[in-house]
């Protein structure tokens, strides 16, 4: 399907997206949409004939466990609501632990890389097939950016993606910014990756900005698209004319004119490249065929168990202060750990904006201190409640008025059912009085 040029729809820039010229389609984060109705902006775009693709972030198809039926149902509902031609997700794991490892389930709050091993590939392929059977439209999967590398990997990224497509028929969502990120952070050549993967399986392409700090590239989606990322897009364009290309921006949203300028740069890059037949993959040794599965101890469940232990060990080191697993770069894990905590603080501030308002400049330090001792085990809204509860148990904040406001906030949201209107009004009045 030909999608054209698109942009990631976000509530913060909904008006700008509607007004931008030349937008053929948009992509919306599936988990941010209700299952029974659309935001007014998306409804208007749909009425204009603009295609909307739901983009999932929480399935964790690269994790050791099979995808949760409830999450698959929710993604299918969004696809049906939007009349979408496809849905997309990520080749990543987002949680680990549980019965397979006899450890608590931990949430990363972010997309983490899957080890490029045959065992992890076996698990991923089965999870993808389960998802495909549960969705009403085709599925495409995105390569992710990574700050860290797994030791003892058996496949390159291109080989891993090619094998995944061969086994499952899944589409690919190629993020050229992520290929650049992996070039800076892991020394992987984007041209080599593009040469190894089946470009004919590409459903569409992501382009996004980032920033380099101390030799590490951070895929922020909050900075302008850089020339090296456009260079990777040009390399991809030299191999195939992608059905769609989309600009992603998730934070620090610029004025509409800057978004339009970035879209123009993407169009110029695509227009400059040839539209010929896709190049063949480079000659050379092909990856060894996957070993045939063996029933019993070496069967699929054994592969899931191995992946579960490896991913739980890594995530425990990143969010729970556990020892760094053998073979990992300690410095890079430290960078990733701090990045995960910072993202938690940022997202909690968005889903519970009252917290930074109540705590003021002390919010961030207080949350980062909390995050060191309390790994996330549920969603961000639960995380916000747990953070507030820990502060209150510790008698914080020290300012009495702020502590009372935090108490009322926590009570409103932690009660087994939403408070009645009269209760909310009374608490709001007390909050105003407490602030005097």
């Amino acid at each position: 399907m030909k999608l054209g040029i698109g942009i990631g729809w976000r509530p913060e820039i909904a008006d700008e997206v509607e007004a931008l010229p030349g937008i053929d389609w948009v992509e919306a984060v599936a988990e941010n949409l209700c299952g029974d109705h659309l935001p007014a902006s998306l409804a208007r775009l749909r009425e204009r004939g603009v295609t909307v693709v739901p983009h999932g972030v929480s399935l964790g198809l690269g994790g050791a466990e099979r995808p949760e039926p409830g999450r698959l149902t929710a993604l299918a509902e969004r696809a049906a609501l939007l009349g979408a031609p496809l849905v997309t997700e990520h080749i990543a794991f987002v949680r680990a632990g549980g019965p397979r490892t006899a450890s608590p389930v931990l949430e990363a709050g972010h997309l983490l890389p899957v080890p490029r091993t045959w065992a992890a590939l076996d698990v991923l392929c089965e999870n993808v097939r389960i998802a495909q059977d549960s969705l009403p439209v085709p599925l495409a999967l995105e390569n992710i950016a990574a700050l860290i590398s797994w030791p003892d990997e058996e496949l390159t990224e291109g080989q891993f993606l090619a094998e995944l497509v061969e086994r499952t028929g899944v589409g690919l969502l190629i993020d050229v910014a992520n290929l650049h990120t992996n070039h800076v952070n892991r020394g992987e050549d984007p041209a080599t990756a593009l040469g190894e993967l089946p470009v004919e399986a590409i459903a569409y392409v992501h382009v996004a900005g980032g920033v380099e700090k101390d030799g590490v590239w951070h895929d922020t989606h909050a900075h302008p698209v850089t020339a090296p990322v456009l260079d990777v897009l040009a390399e991809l364009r030299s191999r195939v004319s992608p059905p769609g290309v989309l600009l992603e921006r998730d934070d620090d949203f610029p004025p509409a004119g800057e978004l339009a300028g970035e879209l123009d740069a993407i169009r110029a890059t695509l227009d400059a490249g040839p539209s010929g037949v896709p190049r063949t993959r480079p000659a050379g040794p092909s990856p060894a065929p996957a070993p045939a599965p063996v029933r019993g101890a070496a069967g699929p469940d054994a592969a899931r168990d191995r992946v579960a232990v490896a991913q739980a060990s890594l995530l425990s080191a990143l969010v729970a202060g556990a020892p760094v697993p053998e073979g990992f770069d300690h410095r890079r894990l430290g960078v990733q750990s701090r990045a995960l905590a910072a993202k938690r603080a940022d997202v909690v501030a968005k889903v519970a904006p009252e917290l930074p308002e109540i705590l003021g400049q002390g919010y961030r330090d207080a949350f980062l201190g909390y995050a060191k001792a309390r790994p996330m085990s549920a969603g961000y809204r639960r995380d916000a409640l747990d953070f507030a509860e820990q502060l209150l148990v510790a008698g914080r904040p020290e300012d009495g008025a702020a502590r009372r406001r935090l108490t009322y906030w926590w009570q409103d949201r932690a009660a087994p059912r939403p408070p009645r209107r009269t209760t909310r009004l009374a608490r709001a009045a007390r909050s105003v009085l407490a602030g005097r």
Side-chain angles (χ1 to χ4, degrees), residues 91 139-141 161 164-165 170-174 197-198 201-204:
I91 301 169
L139 172 68
L141 296 181
L161 294 177
L164 172 65
V165 171
V170 74
L172 295 177
L173 193 182
I174 295 300
L197 63 83
I202 294 176
Y204 62 87

Side-chain angles (χ1 to χ4, degrees), residues 15 19 109 114 254 258 269 313 325 355 389 413:
D15 292 340
V114 174
E258 291 186 28
T269 301
S313 297
L355 293 179
E389 181 177 358
R413 289 151 183 81

Side-chain angles (χ1 to χ4, degrees), residues 141-163:
L141 296 181
E142 179 180 354
N143 59 302
I144 72 163
L147 292 173
I148 55 179
S149 298
W150 284 85
D152 303 322
E153 292 193 321
E154 299 166 326
L155 298 159
T156 65
E157 179 161 35
Q159 291 169 345
F160 193 86
L161 294 177
E163 190 71 23

